[in-house]
Amino acid sequence: MSLRLPFTAALLCLVLLFGASVAAASPVDPDSTDNDPASETASAETPVSVQAGEGGFFIRTDDEQFQLRIGGDIQVNSRFFDTRSDITPLRSTDSFFVRRMRILAIATVFERFDLRVMPNWGFGQATLQDAFVNARFATQFNVRAGKFKPPVGLEFLQSPSNLFLYERAYPTSLVPGRDVGIMVYGSLFDERLDYAVGAFNGPVDGQGLNEDTNDAKDFMARLFAHPFQGMDSLLDGIGIGIAGTIGNERIGQDGASNLPRYRTPGRQTFFSNLADAHADGQRVRIAPQGYWYAGSFGAMVEYVASQQAVRAGDATADLTNQSWQVSISQVITGEDASYGRVEPDNPYDGEGQWGAFELAARVHGIQIDSDAFPTFASPAVAAETALTWGVGLNWYATDNARFSVNYERTSLNEHRDDLSFDDEGMFIGRFQIAF
């Protein structure tokens, strides 16, 4: 299947909207005192305040021209399997582990310019997840450069502290992870339409990238609309959008195949390519997406298709892998469901207030292109499809503290009828602090 036509149409829409955003952006006033050296001196002498709250710790000038915010999160998990897949002898184990441990620092200078840095020590490994600069010129037009989340996956763009269930669904496995690049973005039509378009190094499906291994770059774009925003109706919380990427990917200068591998929610690899297979041409992704939050009910739907030109010896093919998810939640104590965090009306205080409770459920799946077998992948150690369902109970003790229990079960389907893989069943518990 070809993904070029729908992506081209979406990209043309973005170009037109980008032109409209530039025309609508507020002009800079050359007589503004923001550009006056005297005003800079005055602001340097502005009184400074120190504050703390559910959003973190702040040091800011009283005129809010300069600000430093310190935040972070820690997620401590327990994972226990009631059954494990036998697709590979390297099976995941029952374990306690630190899933994420991140410290966030955001510095703002002259109100509109930001620096964001966020390292992560999850799984005992140090990585730099975010490191970017931001210029907020106007609501309609902003610029970001550095390492950050590309504007593609709906669930991937959501903070991991706010997910319905702990591990992200399969569509996130097909979108690019954190990457280095430059992006322009903004909101139009009274913030009813968000757009983003940028150029990035171009990582493999589901992976991040610090430095490219070839000269080709990926172009990524996203439109997301809130058509009923501001209306006093159940439709107010609807958001719908489409995103996509286009670029070229080939074998890396270091010999890396630059092809993805996919894992179950229990972090067990169920698909990888043969050793002699590698990326060899154009890669296109398309990602329609949407959510609906109405009172205490929330729902999210997402689909991603990723097409990559692949080579193994003299054999070539354009392989398209597809994934999808449907997730729902209900805050049973009545608070509002949200793409952000659930905020309990009665935070736990040890004296009769217990916070908020939420039930969540999800089904998600992934389909590997059947043409991958057996030339580019071995059917003996790689599944053609994976289907996972899961349920969860979330307790939001306060705005910052969350306890949860999830169960997910995965069925792997084989390319050949004479093969059979066991299911994977997993319980996950988590204690999380995020601020």
Side-chain angles (χ1 to χ4, degrees):
M1 83 184 259
S2 175
L3 301 176
R4 300 179 186 178
L5 288 177
F7 177 81
T8 302
L11 188 60
L12 286 173
C13 290
L14 273 177
V15 170
L16 293 174
L17 285 166
F18 173 70
S21 72
V22 173
S26 300
V28 175
D29 181 4
D31 296 325
S32 171
T33 57
D34 291 345
N35 301 318
D36 186 352
S39 72
E40 296 179 8
T41 303
S43 65
E45 300 171 354
T46 300
V48 173
S49 61
V50 179
Q51 300 174 352
E54 63 190 41
F57 301 89
F58 298 84
I59 302 173
R60 57 163 63 100
T61 58
D62 289 354
D63 61 4
E64 298 189 356
Q65 289 286 308
F66 297 84
Q67 175 177 285
L68 175 64
R69 176 198 165 196
I70 303 296
D73 58 10
I74 182 168
Q75 300 171 343
V76 181
N77 283 19
S78 60
R79 178 184 64 203
F80 297 95
F81 293 89
D82 62 355
T83 181
R84 293 178 175 87
S85 175
D86 58 351
I87 194 170
T88 171
L90 299 176
R91 303 186 184 185
S92 299
T93 59
D94 295 342
S95 181
F96 297 101
F97 57 95
V98 177
R99 183 66 173 87
R100 292 177 180 86
M101 207 299 285
R102 307 185 296 184
I103 298 296
L104 169 66
I106 304 176
T108 300
V109 296
F110 296 105
E111 189 178 2
R112 297 183 180 275
F113 302 95
D114 307 313
L115 162 67
R116 174 178 170 127
V117 178
M118 185 174 68
N120 182 16
W121 290 273
F123 294 108
Q125 300 176 344
T127 59
L128 184 61
Q129 286 199 320
D130 285 347
F132 63 82
V133 290
N134 214 37
R136 294 176 284 113
F137 295 112
T139 301
Q140 301 89 348
F141 181 75
N142 307 273
V143 179
R144 179 174 297 173
K147 185 179 182 182
F148 53 94
K149 292 180 180 181
V152 184
L154 178 62
E155 191 181 42
F156 183 60
L157 289 171
Q158 188 178 27
S159 169
S161 299
N162 302 328
L163 302 176
F164 290 159
L165 300 180
Y166 281 146
E167 296 299 333
R168 288 186 167 103
Y170 292 122
T172 297
S173 299
L174 268 62
V175 302
R178 284 178 165 88
D179 195 8
V180 181
I182 185 169
M183 176 179 77
V184 297
Y185 67 98
S187 296
L188 308 173
F189 310 118
D190 293 328
E191 301 185 17
R192 285 190 172 90
L193 181 66
D194 300 330
Y195 77 92
V197 59
F200 297 82
N201 282 330
V204 174
D205 288 357
Q207 299 182 26
L209 192 61
N210 291 312
E211 185 178 8
D212 213 345
T213 60
N214 58 55
D215 292 334
K217 298 293 171 279
D218 278 18
F219 295 93
M220 308 185 189
R222 181 175 185 253
L223 287 173
F224 199 81
H226 308 272
F228 307 106
Q229 182 171 283
M231 298 182 181
D232 187 16
S233 74
L234 292 176
L235 304 180
D236 178 76
I238 289 179
I240 54 174
I242 188 168
T245 79
I246 188 168
N248 285 285
E249 190 68 83
R250 302 185 185 278
I251 190 170
Q253 294 181 359
D254 57 358
S257 70
N258 286 332
L259 290 176
R261 61 179 57 206
Y262 303 123
R263 297 189 294 189
T264 65
R267 302 184 66 79
Q268 181 165 321
T269 299
F270 69 86
F271 177 85
S272 60
N273 290 273
L274 294 172
D276 63 340
H278 61 85
D280 191 51
Q282 189 174 75
R283 176 176 58 211
V284 180
R285 302 181 183 96
I286 192 76
Q289 54 199 243
Y291 59 57
W292 180 32
Y293 295 98
S296 56
F297 173 80
M300 177 183 295
V301 294
E302 190 173 11
Y303 169 85
V304 178
S306 176
Q307 182 184 84
Q308 172 70 64
V310 180
R311 175 180 291 274
D314 293 331
T316 61
D318 289 330
L319 301 180
T320 301
N321 301 325
Q322 305 172 71
S323 62
W324 56 272
Q325 71 143 320
V326 177
S327 303
I328 60 172
S329 77
Q330 177 68 44
V331 184
I332 57 179
T333 46
E335 288 85 351
D336 287 340
S338 171
Y339 186 70
R341 69 176 65 180
V342 173
E343 299 178 355
D345 292 336
N346 301 294
Y348 177 76
D349 62 0
E351 298 180 358
Q353 296 188 168
W354 286 92
F357 289 86
E358 177 185 46
L359 295 175
R362 178 176 70 193
V363 60
H364 54 125
I366 185 169
Q367 170 75 53
I368 306 300
D369 196 318
S370 61
D371 290 341
F373 304 95
T375 306
F376 307 101
S378 169
V381 295
E384 185 173 350
T385 67
L387 180 65
T388 300
W389 61 266
V391 293
L393 171 64
N394 302 315
W395 174 32
Y396 301 91
T398 70
D399 288 343
N400 303 97
R402 173 180 172 182
F403 299 81
S404 301
V405 177
N406 296 173
Y407 179 79
E408 290 203 88
R409 191 168 189 90
T410 301
S411 300
L412 301 176
N413 294 321
E414 312 75 24
H415 179 72
R416 282 181 8 200
D417 293 336
D418 60 332
L419 296 173
S420 178
F421 301 131
D422 293 339
D423 288 357
E424 174 188 275
M426 174 187 64
F427 291 92
I428 302 180
R430 176 176 292 175
F431 175 26
Q432 166 186 294
I433 299 290
F435 61 93

